[in-house]
Amino acid sequence: MLSKYGIDLGLPFVRPIESKIYEVRAKDKSGIYRVLYFAHTDKTFVLLHGFMKKTQKTPRKEIDIALKRIKEVKDG
C-alpha cells in the first residue's frame, strides 16, 4: 500500500510518530506488529525498525532506535 499511495497513505494503516517517523501497522493471529519508517522520497521508504506492539503507546526505546537509524542512513 505504501508503494501505491506513497506519503498520502494514512490511518488506519499509517500513523505519524515524530520527527518524520511513521508507523505502519500489521496484524495477524500471533499479535500486532509495527514497523517504523521514514519517507526518503515520495514513494521511497526506509524501514527503520520493526517490533511487536504490546502497549497502546509506542515505547520510547523503539522510537529512539528508529531515530538512531535515520541518522545512520542520512550520514552514511
Side-chain angles (χ1 to χ4, degrees):
M1 294 191 73
L2 282 173
S3 64
K4 183 176 180 180
Y5 296 103
I7 59 174
D8 294 326
L9 182 63
L11 289 171
F13 306 105
V14 169
R15 182 174 74 92
I17 298 294
E18 72 173 57
S19 185
K20 300 183 181 183
I21 296 175
Y22 294 85
E23 174 183 83
V24 65
R25 303 165 178 202
K27 185 177 180 180
D28 74 1
K29 61 184 174 184
S30 64
I32 300 170
Y33 298 89
R34 302 292 193 254
V35 176
L36 301 179
Y37 71 93
F38 79 100
H40 186 54
T41 64
D42 186 40
K43 290 195 177 183
T44 303
F45 303 94
V46 177
L47 305 179
L48 301 165
H49 180 57
F51 60 97
M52 180 182 265
K53 191 162 182 184
K54 297 179 181 178
T55 62
Q56 267 308 75
K57 189 172 180 179
T58 302
R60 182 78 232 170
K61 71 175 190 160
E62 310 297 354
I63 296 169
D64 289 342
I65 290 169
L67 288 169
K68 179 183 172 206
R69 291 181 179 164
I70 283 178
K71 186 174 179 340
E72 290 171 0
V73 168
K74 289 184 176 181
D75 290 347

